[in-house]
Amino acid sequence: MTRLCYRGEQKREQKFFHVMGTLMFKWIVIAILVLVILAGGGAAVAYGRAAKKPANVWKSAKVKRGDLNTTVMASGKVGPVQTVQIGAQASGLVKEVRKGPNDSVKKGEVLALLDTELLDADRRAAQVRLNQVRAAAALLQIQHDDLRLRDLKLKSDREHKKLSLDRAKATFDMTKKVYDRSVPLVGMAMSQLDLERLQTEALNANRDHSMLKLDVELCDVDAEQILADTRKLAAQEEQAQADVLQAEAALARAETNLRYATITSPIDGVVLERTIELGQTIAASFQTPNLFKIASTLTEIRIEAHVDEADIGRIAAGQDVKFEVDAYSGESLSGQVLMARLQPTMLNNQETTPVTYPVVIRASNPADAVHPFGKLLPGMTASLQFTIEHRADVLLLPAAALRFKPENAPAAPSHATTVPKPGAAWGTIYLAGSDGALVPKSIAVGASSADSYELIESPLKEGDAVVTGEKHDGNLFNDEGD
């Protein structure tokens, strides 16, 4: 009995859960159907609102005719055309300082003076040394003149002794002939004593000839000695001349060091920085210390901009540049591209970082009563706009019209099958119909600026209104910044 009651209760529970499951499934199906219906109705309403609204709901702008400038943006630093770091090549105590920051200078004008006592002493010592070596060279010249005179005298003596030698030779030959002829006459026409006297005369004549011959040979030896002395003296003269040149160089160096004690400006300009003070000791033995930093006249300045590698191909010398600086915000200044340098710049020298190229711009910076060096000062940051291309008298489409992408708008027509002109691209804009419905149009645009595109191929004409956004789309700002 108990088992039958338990089975009955189990069947009632199964029936209850079956009924409840069926009811829950039905409610879930109903909820899903309601959500689907609501979503479809919302989409239809949204489509209806996008496809057809009152005409005054759309914000529009007109197609205009005018000039278009294609630009590239960059930033750079204002600097002088030329900057010179002026150092000291001489050591010494700073005796006088005549110029400071913001002072105008002329080429050759004295900026500072160093004490010259030691430098002047070095110059005097170099002068004394030069005088000594010049005196030594003069003595060698005197010796050279003496040798020349000795050589002339020796040549004269040799010629004289050569004549005497020839005379002695003739005398010897004559006495020998007389002696030879007299030998057969001894005992007949001549005595033995006379023959012996003739013999003695012949022997003496021979001895005189030999002595004179030795004298001529000694003259030749003296000539060789004079030649050797001349060569030695020539070497001494060369050494003396080298000593003179060395002493002259030392004197020139001392005089140059003395001139270096006067620090002058190499250019016309203005002093940007001074790093010395009166009484300071300058030591230029191991490294040239920088004393002044001078910029060329600031009536013309140079801006070094860094242009991205994607834009550098469109930068060329002679292009016009517009720029602004923070100090005169809103004031447009102009310049011109001087050159685009070949050396790239990479952040931290890493090849994976963006690459830029330095572009040098020159601009005028006239002085006035308020700004004696011009309004633009070295170090100012300039925001630059390079004029890459100028298109005159073309149809201009507001850029906001291409940016406008309405939700659930009518499908845009397919672009024309023809290929637009080189540099142009297809796009879609929207016109507002009389009933507020959006009408898509296919257009081709070319060059662009910050706020306009050049219309290349389009059914639009000057004065046509194109949709750029909604007037009441819930945004605080619309496309035109109203």
Side-chain angles (χ1 to χ4, degrees):
M1 183 70 179
T2 304
R3 183 177 295 178
L4 291 174
C5 290
Y6 174 75
R7 288 180 177 176
E9 290 177 359
Q10 190 176 24
K11 289 181 178 180
R12 286 194 296 269
E13 289 178 358
Q14 291 178 352
K15 184 177 182 181
F16 171 78
F17 285 120
H18 176 72
V19 172
M20 291 301 293
T22 302
L23 291 174
M24 289 181 66
F25 176 76
K26 290 180 178 179
W27 282 110
I28 291 172
V29 172
I30 292 171
I32 293 174
L33 291 175
V34 171
L35 290 176
V36 171
I37 293 171
L38 290 177
V45 172
Y47 176 82
R49 291 181 60 191
K52 185 174 182 180
K53 289 185 179 182
N56 59 0
V57 170
W58 303 116
K59 186 179 65 173
S60 63
K62 292 184 178 181
V63 175
K64 301 177 182 178
R65 181 170 290 277
D67 296 344
L68 179 72
N69 291 321
T70 303
T71 60
V72 168
M73 308 300 293
S75 63
K77 291 291 184 181
V78 174
V81 174
Q82 182 182 12
T83 303
V84 180
Q85 294 279 2
I86 299 177
Q89 293 182 265
S91 301
L93 189 70
V94 178
K95 185 178 181 180
E96 185 177 348
V97 178
R98 296 186 181 180
K99 294 293 181 179
N102 291 7
D103 287 343
S104 297
V105 295
K106 295 292 184 182
K107 183 178 181 179
E109 188 173 1
V110 177
L111 304 176
L113 296 173
L114 303 182
D115 184 73
T116 60
E117 185 175 351
L118 294 177
L119 296 174
D120 191 57
D122 291 341
R123 185 193 63 79
R124 291 196 301 271
Q127 182 65 62
V128 170
R129 171 62 181 166
L130 177 61
N131 293 339
Q132 289 175 341
V133 297
R134 282 177 174 173
L139 289 176
L140 291 177
Q141 182 63 41
I142 292 174
Q143 294 180 20
H144 181 82
D145 294 340
D146 288 343
L147 280 177
R148 184 173 59 83
L149 292 175
R150 282 176 55 195
D151 184 60
L152 291 175
K153 184 175 181 301
L154 182 62
K155 288 180 179 179
S156 176
D157 290 345
R158 187 179 184 284
E159 290 297 326
H160 182 268
K161 289 179 180 180
K162 185 69 170 55
L163 292 175
S164 298
L165 178 64
D166 294 340
R167 182 178 178 181
K169 179 69 170 57
T171 301
F172 170 70
D173 292 341
M174 180 59 69
T175 55
K176 187 175 183 305
K177 288 180 180 180
V178 172
Y179 173 76
D180 291 340
R181 291 174 182 176
S182 299
V183 171
L185 299 178
V186 174
M188 293 184 296
M190 180 176 293
S191 64
Q192 184 64 35
L193 181 63
D194 292 334
L195 180 63
E196 291 177 354
R197 185 173 62 252
L198 291 175
Q199 184 180 12
T200 301
E201 290 179 354
L203 291 172
N204 289 335
N206 187 35
R207 293 189 185 97
D208 291 340
H209 175 265
S210 297
M211 290 178 62
L212 290 172
K213 185 177 180 181
L214 289 175
D215 289 341
V216 172
E217 291 177 354
L218 287 174
C219 287
D220 292 338
V221 172
D222 289 341
E224 292 292 334
Q225 183 63 48
I226 290 175
L227 182 61
D229 291 343
T230 301
R231 291 172 180 170
K232 180 180 179 180
L233 187 60
Q236 292 175 344
E237 287 178 335
E238 289 182 2
Q239 181 61 45
Q241 186 62 34
D243 292 341
V244 169
L245 294 176
Q246 186 177 12
E248 289 176 345
L251 178 60
R253 183 169 57 252
E255 291 176 341
T256 301
N257 288 335
L258 189 60
R259 288 196 301 271
Y260 285 156
T262 302
I263 312 299
T264 59
S265 174
I267 60 172
D268 294 342
V270 59
V271 178
L272 296 181
E273 183 182 7
R274 187 186 74 193
T275 60
I276 59 168
E277 297 296 337
L278 185 65
Q280 182 177 343
T281 300
I282 303 300
S285 302
F286 302 102
Q287 182 178 1
T288 301
N290 291 324
L291 310 182
F292 294 88
K293 183 178 181 180
I294 295 182
S296 59
T297 304
L298 296 176
T299 54
E300 188 175 53
I301 54 94
R302 183 178 70 173
I303 303 173
E304 185 167 313
H306 295 279
V307 178
D308 189 86
E309 60 178 321
D311 298 320
I312 192 63
R314 299 188 289 172
I315 303 297
Q319 287 176 340
D320 293 330
V321 182
K322 298 292 183 182
F323 65 94
E324 293 184 5
V325 294
D326 292 340
Y328 308 101
S329 181
E331 182 177 353
S332 179
L333 304 169
S334 61
Q336 196 172 59
V337 175
L338 182 63
M339 71 171 71
R341 292 177 176 166
L342 302 178
Q343 178 63 34
T345 302
M346 292 177 287
L347 184 62
N348 298 326
N349 292 325
Q350 296 180 2
E351 295 184 358
T352 57
T353 59
V355 177
T356 61
Y357 289 84
V359 176
V360 180
I361 298 97
R362 298 187 77 165
S364 61
N365 185 32
D368 53 38
V370 181
H371 308 94
F373 300 110
K375 294 191 298 184
L376 301 176
L377 303 180
M380 286 184 171
T381 301
S383 299
L384 301 115
Q385 187 179 56
F386 296 83
T387 301
I388 304 303
E389 183 180 6
H390 176 73
R391 306 285 292 172
D393 194 28
V394 296
L395 280 178
L396 301 178
L397 175 72
L402 277 178
R403 292 197 298 266
F404 175 58
K405 304 296 180 184
E407 296 181 0
N408 303 314
S414 60
H415 293 153
T417 57
T418 58
V419 178
K421 295 180 180 179
W426 292 111
T428 301
I429 53 94
Y430 296 87
L431 306 180
S434 58
D435 57 354
L438 293 178
V439 180
K441 295 292 183 181
S442 181
I443 60 168
V445 294
S448 65
S449 63
D451 56 2
S452 299
Y453 283 87
E454 177 190 4
L455 281 171
I456 303 297
E457 295 183 21
S458 168
L460 303 176
K461 60 182 181 301
E462 183 179 358
D464 286 349
V466 292
V467 177
T468 58
E470 293 186 48
K471 288 184 179 179
H472 306 289
D473 55 4
N475 293 330
L476 183 60
F477 299 102
N478 58 33
D479 289 338
E480 293 185 351
D482 292 338

